[in-house]
């Protein structure tokens, strides 16, 4: 094996080992499209949630999400892995008798690639906003509503 071939072989081996150790983060960036879903599970209040999501480049507008319905959208991570989507959630809590409104980061590339890879799922519950985590296979309460 010549010196040039050996150098290429070593470089390929290093890339493969690096990709293997960081496969979740790299896979989302290389794979392209991210599918994001938020499902309204606000029982027992049966509230309709107004969801308004934005990034630095896109304003997706207001969407009314009734109990049991899902608001979904797709996007691609940018080349620098700095994609950020944040959403405002407005709904009337029947138990508190008032409007609850909160803005949460629903997708940060470097944080959520490991959590959800290409399919990021959120549940809107009375106790907060829950994210499904691939690694643990559990729904985790990442954000609570202000009281």
């Amino acid at each position: 094996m010549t010196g040039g071939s050996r150098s290429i072989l070593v470089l390929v081996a290093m890339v493969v080992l690096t990709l293997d150790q960081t496969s979740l983060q790299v896979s989302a960036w290389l794979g392209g499209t991210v599918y994001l879903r938020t499902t309204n599970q606000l029982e027992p209040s049966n509230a309709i949630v107004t969801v308004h999501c934005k990034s630095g480049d896109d304003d997706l507008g207001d969407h009314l999400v009734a109990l049991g319905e899902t608001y979904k959208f797709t996007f691609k991570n940018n080349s620098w892995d700095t994609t950020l989507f944040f959403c405002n959630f407005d709904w009337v809590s029947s138990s508190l008798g008032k409007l609850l409104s909160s803005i949460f980061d629903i997708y940060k590339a470097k944080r959520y690639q490991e959590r959800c890879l290409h399919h990021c799922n959120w549940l809107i519950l009375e106790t907060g906003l829950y994210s499904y985590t691939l690694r643990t296979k559990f729904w985790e309460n990442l954000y609570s509503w202000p009281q």
Side-chain angles (χ1 to χ4, degrees), residues 130-144:
Y130 289 72
S131 172
Y132 185 76
T133 304
L134 288 173
R135 179 168 287 158
T136 63
K137 309 277 191 271
F138 287 108
W139 289 94
E140 183 180 352
N141 184 349
L142 291 188
Y143 301 111
S144 296

Side-chain angles (χ1 to χ4, degrees), residues 29-146:
W29 181 73
L30 291 176
T33 303
V34 176
Y35 301 86
L36 199 140
R37 303 166 46 94
T38 55
T39 301
N40 178 352
Q41 294 294 321
L42 287 170
E43 295 183 272
S45 70
N46 298 329
I48 295 174
V49 181
T50 302
V51 180
H52 189 146
C53 297
K54 296 180 181 183
S55 72
D57 300 321
D58 299 298
D59 184 338
L60 305 179
D62 286 339
H63 297 271
L64 300 177
V65 185
L67 179 67
E69 291 184 353
T70 299
Y71 168 58
K72 54 190 169 186
F73 61 94
T74 61
F75 58 93
K76 293 186 183 287
N77 279 330
N78 64 30
S79 300
W80 303 275
D81 261 354
T82 58
T83 300
L84 167 66
F85 271 94
F86 55 95
C87 299
N88 184 69
F89 298 88
D90 293 325
W91 61 285
V92 176
S93 167
S94 59
S95 61
L96 296 175
K98 67 177 184 177
L99 173 71
L100 295 179
S101 182
S102 294
I103 298 173
F104 301 125
D105 290 344
I106 199 162
Y107 185 85
K108 281 181 122 174
K110 291 183 181 175
R111 181 188 321 164
Y112 292 117
Q113 282 178 11
E114 186 171 330
R115 176 177 296 283
C116 59
L117 196 55
H118 298 285
H119 298 275
C120 298
N121 295 295
W122 293 85
L123 290 178
I124 305 166
L125 299 172
E126 298 256 349
T127 53
L129 197 61
Y130 289 72
S131 172
Y132 185 76
T133 304
L134 288 173
R135 179 168 287 158
T136 63
K137 309 277 191 271
F138 287 108
W139 289 94
E140 183 180 352
N141 184 349
L142 291 188
Y143 301 111
S144 296
W145 306 111

